[in-house]
Amino acid sequence: MVALKRLLLRILRSCKKMFRITNVDAVAEMLDPPGVDIQVLLQARARANNNLAALLGVTNTFTSDNTTVHDEFRARVEGLLGEVGEGTPWWARLVKVTGHGVRQFLHMVPCDFATFICCVTFHVWVVGVLNPSVPDDWELQSDHSVEEITRAIINVTENGSPTIGAAQIRATLENWIPHPDGDENYNPLNLIAPMYDKLWRLVAATVVCAKRFPITRNPLLDFADNPTKLQFRSTPGVDAGPSAENVMNEVLRLHPPVQHISRPYGLPMWEMLLTGRVQTADIRAVQKLDQHGNPLPEPKEFTPSRWQVGTCPAMFAFGEGPLRCPVRDQVPILAALIASKVMDHIDGVMYRLVPPQNVGGGTGNSNGWSISRNEL
């Protein structure tokens, strides 16, 4: 009986994988389905993020089907990143905070690369984005270190269990993240999970890609020296190398923050019996196609120049439709800023990025990478 159950589960998983949507038009329609109420879409997303609610007590739009919660959260995040974005008076401060954050955590070296990026990204997000009024060199201090807090949050998404209790995490974050006046339901974790988790992974993938593909280094280092939107988009020419924006688009194409998105839409009865009441879009797979659904040349290769000419690749890294990421235009430039400042400091002189003995798992996989100190 047990063997039969295992066989049925294996067949069910295979069917779910087989019915993942990888067609451009079908993915676009599934993510922005006609005639489907937004609350139904919110319910599906909330179910997928149930662990954030159960283990961390997150009550933002990622774990709620309440449309008011959704609208308020979108407005809050748009306001936060809009206030400190490039072109605003606060952008120069964010650049300083990022540089300070990188230098602050260099004391950890030698260390695991992913751990370092987690800490730096968290510092930039909390000090630079959520606390625009504190000094540029403000440091996050508490009974629990930044490393302990970030490890606990990430363990929920990776292993389903935090290394520190949710109450302790929340108490620590309350010391670091300001309490909005009049917000009776204030929960600092709502401004951390899952956005921070997606951001640090994008930063890590960008730095690893830049290490593995030298043509991407100069655009990012030029952006570190001159962090403006104009520089972000500037390229010497099609044959002279990509822009920092081209690099970030290619990182997002190969390493989307969310690789699978499920929505309750358009399933015939026979397929519902096999896959459940949702369809799943394979974001990583569909981004191997161009906008018209044609296969890209060498789709598994990291090629930023593909964004410079011709038909661009399909891009669903930030979703589509009513649940599309509201800050999709700000995230790439923020991730590029953090990644470029990391590269500027870990440049092979005093500190260097060390690949694992067996570099595998994809172009931007950070597993096994480390940072070491050079002996002078």
Side-chain angles (χ1 to χ4, degrees):
M1 189 66 180
V2 174
L4 179 59
K5 287 182 177 179
R6 288 176 178 171
L7 177 61
L8 291 174
L9 285 173
R10 195 175 297 120
I11 293 173
L12 180 60
R13 292 192 189 102
S14 298
C15 288
K16 286 185 176 181
K17 186 173 182 180
M18 181 171 56
F19 289 112
R20 285 176 182 166
I21 300 175
T22 59
N23 175 276
V24 171
D25 291 337
V27 168
E29 183 175 349
M30 193 206 83
L31 297 181
D32 190 9
V36 176
D37 188 79
I38 187 173
Q39 189 167 25
V40 176
L41 303 179
L42 290 171
Q43 288 172 348
R45 184 168 69 179
R47 283 194 295 270
N49 291 307
N50 181 60
N51 61 328
L52 295 178
L55 299 176
L56 291 178
V58 174
T59 57
N60 61 26
T61 184
F62 292 96
T63 62
S64 171
D65 63 2
N66 188 297
T67 55
T68 301
V69 170
H70 173 69
D71 293 340
E72 291 177 349
F73 180 82
R74 283 179 61 95
R76 181 79 189 280
V77 173
E78 286 175 341
L80 286 167
L81 281 176
E83 183 178 354
V84 301
E86 197 279 336
T88 69
W90 292 102
W91 175 253
R93 176 188 175 275
L94 183 61
V95 173
K96 293 179 181 178
V97 168
T98 304
H100 178 77
V102 175
R103 292 188 294 273
Q104 177 187 342
F105 291 101
L106 285 173
H107 73 85
M108 298 170 61
V109 177
C111 65
D112 174 68
F113 168 70
T115 300
F116 179 82
I117 295 296
C118 286
C119 291
V120 171
T121 305
F122 185 86
H123 176 91
V124 174
W125 182 254
V126 173
V127 178
V129 177
L130 302 183
N131 280 286
S133 61
V134 301
D136 304 343
D137 58 354
W138 193 53
E139 296 186 2
L140 301 173
Q141 297 179 345
S142 183
D143 293 338
H144 293 288
S145 67
V146 170
E147 182 180 354
E148 290 173 321
I149 293 298
T150 54
R151 185 187 302 120
I153 294 171
I154 292 166
N155 270 352
V156 170
T157 60
E158 292 186 345
N159 306 315
S161 60
T163 52
I164 300 174
Q168 293 174 289
I169 296 174
R170 179 166 177 168
T172 301
L173 292 179
E174 286 176 348
N175 293 326
W176 295 341
I177 300 175
H179 189 309
D181 294 336
D183 186 355
E184 298 179 356
N185 299 315
Y186 166 71
N187 180 357
L189 275 160
N190 286 344
L191 294 174
I192 300 294
M195 300 85 66
Y196 156 72
D197 183 63
K198 310 305 180 188
L199 181 59
W200 84 258
R201 295 179 193 277
L202 176 57
V203 173
T206 302
V207 176
V208 169
C209 286
K211 176 68 174 179
R212 296 189 63 181
F213 306 98
I215 194 173
T216 67
R217 286 185 58 81
N218 284 344
L220 290 169
L221 291 175
D222 288 345
F223 180 65
D225 293 337
N226 181 32
T228 66
K229 188 172 293 185
L230 179 61
Q231 182 64 53
F232 182 67
R233 294 174 174 171
S234 295
T235 174
V238 175
D239 297 326
S243 66
E245 184 177 38
N246 298 150
V247 172
M248 296 309 301
N249 281 338
E250 187 68 352
V251 174
L252 284 164
R253 185 186 72 83
L254 285 170
H255 307 283
V258 179
Q259 295 193 14
H260 301 102
I261 301 177
S262 297
R263 294 286 186 268
Y265 171 69
L267 288 173
M269 182 61 69
W270 67 269
E271 195 171 323
M272 286 173 56
L273 294 174
L274 289 173
T275 66
R277 294 181 176 272
V278 298
Q279 291 196 79
T280 299
D282 190 329
I283 303 302
R284 193 169 187 177
V286 77
Q287 292 184 167
K288 294 177 181 177
L289 308 173
D290 68 21
Q291 292 173 325
H292 303 303
N294 302 310
L296 292 171
E298 299 182 321
K300 295 182 180 180
E301 296 298 318
F302 184 80
T303 312
S305 61
R306 71 173 84 243
W307 293 90
Q308 293 177 271
V309 293
T311 302
C312 289
M315 176 60 76
F316 295 97
F318 295 107
E320 192 69 31
L323 301 190
R324 190 178 185 186
C325 176
V327 289
R328 56 193 174 276
D329 294 330
Q330 293 96 329
V331 168
I333 197 169
L334 175 59
L337 175 65
I338 302 171
S340 66
K341 291 297 184 181
V342 169
M343 293 165 54
D344 196 31
H345 287 79
I346 304 174
D347 57 1
V349 180
M350 290 189 64
Y351 306 97
R352 60 192 175 94
L353 189 59
V354 182
Q357 290 184 347
N358 180 21
V359 181
T363 57
N365 191 326
S366 62
N367 291 339
W369 289 75
S370 60
I371 304 173
S372 67
R373 185 190 301 268
N374 288 332
E375 297 296 333
L376 299 178

